[in-house]
Amino acid sequence: MLGINLALEALRGHEVIGVDRGKLKSAPFQVFHADFLHTNEILSIIDSTRPDWIINCAALANLEECEKHPDQAKMLNTNLPAELATACAKRNIKFIHLSTDAVFNGEKEGAYTEDDEPNPQGVYSQTKLEGERVVQEVNPQAIIARVNFFGWSLGSRRSLGEFFVNNLSEGKNVNGFTDVIFCPMWVNHLSRTLLEMLEKNLHGLYHVVGARAMSKYQFGVEVARKFGLRESLIEPQSVERSTLTARRSHNLWLSIHKLSTDLGHVVPDFSTGLDG
Ligand SMILES: NC(=O)c1ccc[n+]([C@@H]2O[C@H](COP(=O)([O-])OP(=O)(O)OC[C@H]3O[C@@H](n4cnc5c(N)ncnc54)[C@H](OP(=O)(O)O)[C@@H]3O)[C@@H](O)[C@H]2O)c1
């Protein structure tokens, strides 16, 4: 979801080269095909293209899949970022690693800062945190961005926003968790922010999320209102009563004070993202 949106956003001012494993058929930029689990072509792609920046959007980002396939999760969420960060450090290429708000256990009252100690609750967040740590170790100039975002994906099935729009459009009832707090950012705002961080040559760990904390239920209601859909179809529910197997943290409110201070401006508002 982030990869294609970021690539299209970056195309406005940069040359873009994409790497995917076969879905992109007619992208308006050069695309190499590679499966990171089964090939080790990535170094030759880097050496043949010599990019200035690499932004690693590849991951096993589905929490339930990570619980089922922990080895795959480790390869994609920890080992791949380690390999890319090492390659970038050796070649003086600026690197961004995408991490997650879910590295925290959610027990804090109030917003988490970059100084708070992570305590991941499942395979996904554990492997993402290990990815963060190894990237920081092998490439201190890298940017590590803990994100959470919404928007449109290629198959229209990837994001929470799409989940609400698709189901409510079909008149289906859905659950909205009242006890999971997060800070969603529109994927285009995230893409622009990451590019700005590269341009400003920032490095280190940043929380790159929206400025407003809300429950997943509230998010669904705002999406429904925006798209003229029936918010009454959204059933307020506790995540503890859901059938999801991977544990979810209750409070993923992240402070963006460090980000806005270092960028020198406020982070775009949630509602302007919803308008986009
Ligand atoms: N979505 C969120 O709100 C959110 C929240 C926190 C953190 N993040 C992080 O943000 C980053 C981007 O997330 P996303 O939502 O854009 O995830 P996504 O839609 O699942 O995209 C992951 C990408 O990785 C690719 N990939 C997976 N396995 C691969 C392999 N073996 N070889 C090559 N490519 C492979 C996928 O390719 P296919 O399309 O072929 O499957 C897909 O394009 C991830 O690091 C994720 O952990 C996302």
Side-chain angles (χ1 to χ4, degrees):
M1 179 176 158
L2 177 59
I4 187 66
N5 284 294
L6 173 65
L8 295 176
E9 196 64 55
L11 258 190
R12 295 166 187 261
H14 305 275
E15 186 187 348
V16 173
I17 299 160
V19 183
D20 97 320
R21 54 178 171 175
K23 276 190 188 155
L24 288 177
K25 303 287 182 214
S26 57
F29 49 85
Q30 187 182 11
V31 179
F32 288 83
H33 295 305
D35 186 324
F36 298 130
L37 288 177
H38 301 296
T39 59
N40 51 4
E41 285 166 65
I42 194 64
L43 295 184
S44 63
I45 295 174
I46 294 173
D47 285 330
S48 67
T49 53
R50 302 296 306 171
D52 298 311
W53 302 337
I54 292 181
I55 307 175
N56 174 35
C57 302
L60 189 61
N62 179 308
L63 275 66
E64 318 302 319
E65 288 298 305
C66 287
E67 296 294 326
K68 280 190 231 155
H69 307 288
D71 293 346
Q72 206 171 313
K74 186 170 170 49
M75 282 173 78
L76 285 163
N77 297 342
T78 306
N79 301 355
L80 175 68
E83 188 187 352
L84 289 172
T86 305
C88 287
K90 282 187 187 148
R91 292 162 179 79
N92 206 18
I93 297 168
K94 187 87 181 175
F95 181 63
I96 296 190
H97 173 59
L98 274 308
S99 187
T100 173
D101 52 357
V103 294
F104 295 112
N105 67 6
E107 285 174 12
K108 182 171 178 175
E109 296 215 352
Y112 284 99
T113 73
E114 288 82 351
D115 294 327
D116 282 313
E117 193 56 40
N119 186 354
Q121 298 295 294
V123 174
Y124 170 68
S125 44
Q126 182 65 47
T127 53
K128 294 296 288 185
L129 179 64
E130 284 163 10
E132 281 188 9
R133 290 190 167 149
V134 69
V135 167
Q136 219 151 20
E137 187 185 315
V138 300
N139 189 340
Q141 287 308 307
I143 294 170
I144 296 162
R146 289 181 182 150
V147 299
N148 198 305
F149 53 91
F150 65 96
W152 303 106
S153 65
L154 272 185
S156 306
R157 299 250 158 246
R158 193 52 202 95
S159 75
L160 185 64
E162 291 168 322
F163 165 81
F164 283 116
V165 170
N166 293 341
N167 283 298
L168 299 181
S169 303
E170 293 171 19
K172 290 184 182 161
N173 287 294
V174 290
N175 293 322
F177 300 137
T178 48
D179 52 358
V180 178
I181 305 297
F182 72 140
C183 302
M185 182 182 234
W186 184 38
V187 67
N188 294 63
H189 283 158
L190 172 61
S191 303
R192 287 172 210 163
T193 304
L194 294 173
L195 294 168
E196 188 182 347
M197 292 170 81
L198 286 165
E199 276 151 14
K200 295 208 157 117
N201 207 18
L202 303 187
H203 69 276
L205 178 62
Y206 283 89
H207 291 171
V208 188
V209 293
R212 178 141 61 101
M214 65 189 76
S215 71
K216 298 221 165 173
Y217 170 76
Q218 285 168 321
F219 174 79
V221 167
E222 298 233 16
V223 168
R225 286 181 189 158
K226 181 74 213 170
F227 288 90
L229 299 167
R230 277 166 59 202
E231 62 185 80
S232 59
L233 291 172
I234 309 173
E235 183 75 32
Q237 205 208 52
S238 165
V239 69
E240 301 298 340
R241 290 189 53 223
S242 82
T243 53
L244 298 167
T245 49
R247 271 188 77 186
R248 263 79 176 166
S249 302
H250 287 278
N251 173 25
L252 296 177
W253 177 13
L254 306 193
S255 164
I256 48 166
H257 179 73
K258 179 180 177 192
L259 177 69
S260 52
T261 304
D262 291 359
L263 289 179
H265 61 75
V266 294
V267 170
D269 189 66
F270 170 74
S271 57
T272 60
L274 211 50
D275 290 340

